[in-house]
Amino acid sequence: MELRKLEKERSFSKGSLDENTDNVIDEVDVDTVSFSHGVDNTEGGSSFLAYFNIVCVVAGTGALGLPYALKQGGWIGLFILGLSWLFSIYSGTILIRCLYYNGRTRLSSYQEVAEAAFGAIGGWISFFFTAVTLIGVPVLYILLSGQNLHYVCQGTAAELTFPIWVIISSACIAIPFVLFKSMKEVGFLSAFGMLATVVVVFIVLVAAVKDKPNYQDVQHVSVIWDQFPIALSSIVFSFGGNPVYAHVEAGMKHPKNWNKVVAAGLSTCVALYFLTAVPGYYVYGDLTKSPIYENIPDGPSKIASTIIITIHVLMAAPILMTSFALDLEKLFGISSFNHSRIVEHVLRFALRMGMVVLVAVIAIYVPFFGDFMSLLGAFSNCTLILIFPIIFYLKLTGFRNKHWFELIVCFLGVVLGIVGLVFGTISAVQSLKRNFENA
C-alpha cells in the first residue's frame, strides 16, 4: 500500500512544535487521512534528491527574469529579493509543520492544510490558487521553450512555426509526465534541471561582463515606486515552490531533515539569483530584457544559454505538473482502491494528457513571457507563498504560543503578500493588455 503505516501513536503534549516536527516519523493514520497519491515512504528518496527537486522547480526562469524585475523597480529590488528569500524559507518550514499540526497524522497536501484551517471553502480557495500556479508555470515553461526553439532553428532546415514548437515541447514534457506516477519517480529530472540552471547563470554572468563596454550610457534607478508592486511580483515568482513542497517532503526517506533541505535549496536559488540580477541590471540598465539572455549578442553564448534553459524548463515542468496531477487524481478517486489496475492507468493517462493539451493551448495564445510571469507571481505566488501559509499556521497552531517577534514576521509577510497580490496583479494585467493591443 502507498499509505504510510502508523507505527505508534505520538503525543505532542510535550515539547514545542519545532521539536515535534523534527522528530515525528512521517506517518498517516489510515482511519483519519485519505489516500495520498505518490507517497511511498518505505522507499523514500534521499534528502539530496529533495534538495535537487526544490532547486530545479524554484530556480531557472525566475533567475532569468530578475534583472528585468530590477529594471521595473530599481535597485531596491535586491532588498526585496533578500527579504523574499527569508520569508520563503520561513513559509516553506511552517507549511510542512502544518501537515503535522494535530500530532497524530500527516496531511498530504497544501489543500488539506487549507481545509483543516478553514473548512471546505478554504480547501477550494487554496485549490484554485494552486491550480493557477501548477498549470500557469508549466504554461510559462512551454511558452519559453517554444520561443527558444523557434529562435535557435530560424534559418535552418529545422525552422518551424512557434505553435509547432510549442506542440513539440508539450510532447517532450508529456513523456515523463504520463509515464511516471509519483514525485519520486519523476525526481531524477531535477538533478539535470538544476545543473542546467547553474550553467546558464554562469554563461549569462560571463557574457554580461564581456558586454559591458557596449553599454556605457544605460541608466540605473534606486527605486521606481509606481512599478514596485509588479517588480515585487516578479521577485516572489522566483520562490514559487510552496505548492509542491508537501509532495517533495512526502517522498523523503527522512522527513525530519526538511527544514535543512528547504533552507539549503532556497539559499542555493538566491545565490544564483544575485549572480544573475546584479550584473544583468548593472550592465544593461534600462535596456534590460526578460529573459535576460535576450540581451546577449547573437552568437555561441546566446545559443548555448537558450538551448540549456530550454532543457531546464522541459525537465522542471513535469515535476510541477505531477504535483498537481496527484492532487487531481486524489480528488477524482483515481487509485487502485477505487478501480482495477487497467482502469486506473487509463484514467490517469486521460487526465494527464488532458492537462498537457490544456497547457499547450494556453501557451500558444499567451506569448508574452515577462508580463505573464509577473501576473503569475502577483496573483498566485504572493498568495501561496506569503499569505496562505502564515494564516494557516496561525489558525492551526494558535497565536498565544508564538513569540512577539514571530508574530511581527507573520504580519509583515502577510502585508507584503497583499501589496504584491493587489497592486502587482493590476499592473501585470495592464501590461498584458497593452501587449495584446500592440501585437
Side-chain angles (χ1 to χ4, degrees), residues 83-84 86-88 90-91 94 110 118 228 232 236 377-395 399 405-423:
L83 202 62
S84 298
L86 295 175
F87 274 120
S88 65
Y90 177 70
S91 171
I94 63 174
Y110 200 114
F118 294 102
F228 177 80
L232 170 63
V236 171
F379 185 69
S380 59
N381 282 14
C382 283
T383 307
L384 294 173
I385 297 171
L386 296 174
I387 301 175
F388 281 177
I390 292 175
I391 294 176
F392 297 160
Y393 176 56
L394 295 177
K395 180 67 166 60
F399 290 84
F405 179 76
E406 184 175 11
L407 292 177
I408 292 177
V409 170
C410 291
F411 173 77
L412 292 177
V414 172
V415 169
L416 194 65
I418 292 174
V419 169
L421 170 64
V422 176
F423 297 102

Side-chain angles (χ1 to χ4, degrees), residues 334-335 338-349:
I334 302 176
S335 73
N338 300 321
H339 305 282
S340 67
R341 186 166 296 275
I342 294 177
V343 173
E344 177 194 1
H345 285 306
V346 170
L347 292 175
R348 178 174 291 114
F349 177 83

Side-chain angles (χ1 to χ4, degrees), residues 99-427:
L99 299 178
Y100 300 92
Y101 83 100
N102 67 6
R104 295 178 294 103
T105 61
R106 179 194 184 279
L107 302 178
S108 65
S109 67
Y110 200 114
Q111 290 72 40
E112 286 195 359
V113 172
E115 189 170 351
F118 294 102
I121 294 178
W124 281 109
I125 293 175
S126 172
F127 179 81
F128 169 74
F129 281 98
T130 302
V132 170
T133 296
L134 296 182
I135 290 295
V137 176
V139 167
L140 188 69
Y141 284 178
I142 292 178
L143 164 64
L144 184 62
S145 175
Q147 290 177 339
N148 288 349
L149 293 172
H150 180 63
Y151 161 77
V152 170
C153 295
Q154 276 184 332
T156 69
E159 183 174 359
L160 298 171
T161 63
F162 167 72
I164 292 178
W165 279 121
V166 168
I167 293 172
I168 293 173
S169 300
S170 302
C172 293
I173 288 173
I175 294 172
F177 176 53
V178 172
L179 291 182
F180 299 121
K181 174 184 175 182
S182 69
M183 290 293 290
K184 185 184 72 175
E185 292 167 333
V186 80
F188 75 93
L189 297 172
S190 62
F192 297 101
M194 174 186 168
L195 178 62
T197 301
V198 173
V199 171
V200 170
V201 166
F202 279 99
I203 289 176
V204 170
L205 175 62
V206 173
V209 172
K210 292 173 64 176
D211 212 21
K212 175 60 180 172
N214 300 322
Y215 290 86
Q216 295 294 332
D217 298 325
V218 296
Q219 296 181 350
H220 304 90
V221 182
S222 297
V223 58
I224 305 174
W225 289 113
D226 61 333
Q227 291 293 307
F228 177 80
I230 195 170
L232 170 63
S233 303
S234 298
I235 292 170
V236 171
F237 174 86
S238 304
F239 294 96
N242 280 30
V244 304
Y245 285 166
H247 295 298
V248 172
E249 191 262 359
M252 291 175 61
K253 189 172 184 179
H254 301 291
K256 65 181 180 180
N257 293 331
W258 171 255
N259 290 357
K260 298 175 184 176
V261 168
V262 72
L266 292 175
S267 296
T268 301
C269 292
V270 81
L272 295 173
Y273 291 166
F274 275 105
L275 282 174
T276 309
V278 174
Y281 182 56
Y282 176 72
V283 171
Y284 301 111
D286 58 328
L287 301 178
T288 302
K289 299 178 182 178
S290 180
I292 184 60
Y293 57 73
E294 292 290 339
N295 283 102
I296 300 176
D298 291 339
S301 295
K302 185 170 184 177
I303 293 176
S305 60
T306 301
I307 293 174
I308 294 172
I309 202 62
T310 301
I311 294 172
H312 164 81
V313 298
L314 292 178
M315 290 180 173
I319 299 174
L320 290 163
M321 295 180 71
T322 297
S323 179
F324 187 51
L326 294 173
D327 291 335
L328 288 179
E329 287 162 13
K330 179 177 177 180
L331 178 66
F332 296 132
I334 302 176
S335 73
S336 56
F337 289 123
N338 300 321
H339 305 282
S340 67
R341 186 166 296 275
I342 294 177
V343 173
E344 177 194 1
H345 285 306
V346 170
L347 292 175
R348 178 174 291 114
F349 177 83
L351 173 67
R352 296 194 178 199
M353 283 304 299
M355 290 175 61
V356 172
V357 172
L358 175 64
V359 166
V361 170
I362 297 175
I364 291 173
Y365 290 101
V366 186
F368 303 108
F369 175 83
D371 292 326
F372 188 57
M373 186 178 78
S374 298
L375 178 60
L376 277 176
F379 185 69
S380 59
N381 282 14
C382 283
T383 307
L384 294 173
I385 297 171
L386 296 174
I387 301 175
F388 281 177
I390 292 175
I391 294 176
F392 297 160
Y393 176 56
L394 295 177
K395 180 67 166 60
L396 293 174
T397 64
F399 290 84
R400 296 183 179 180
N401 58 348
K402 305 293 185 297
H403 192 274
W404 62 268
F405 179 76
E406 184 175 11
L407 292 177
I408 292 177
V409 170
C410 291
F411 173 77
L412 292 177
V414 172
V415 169
L416 194 65
I418 292 174
V419 169
L421 170 64
V422 176
F423 297 102
T425 298
I426 293 172
S427 298

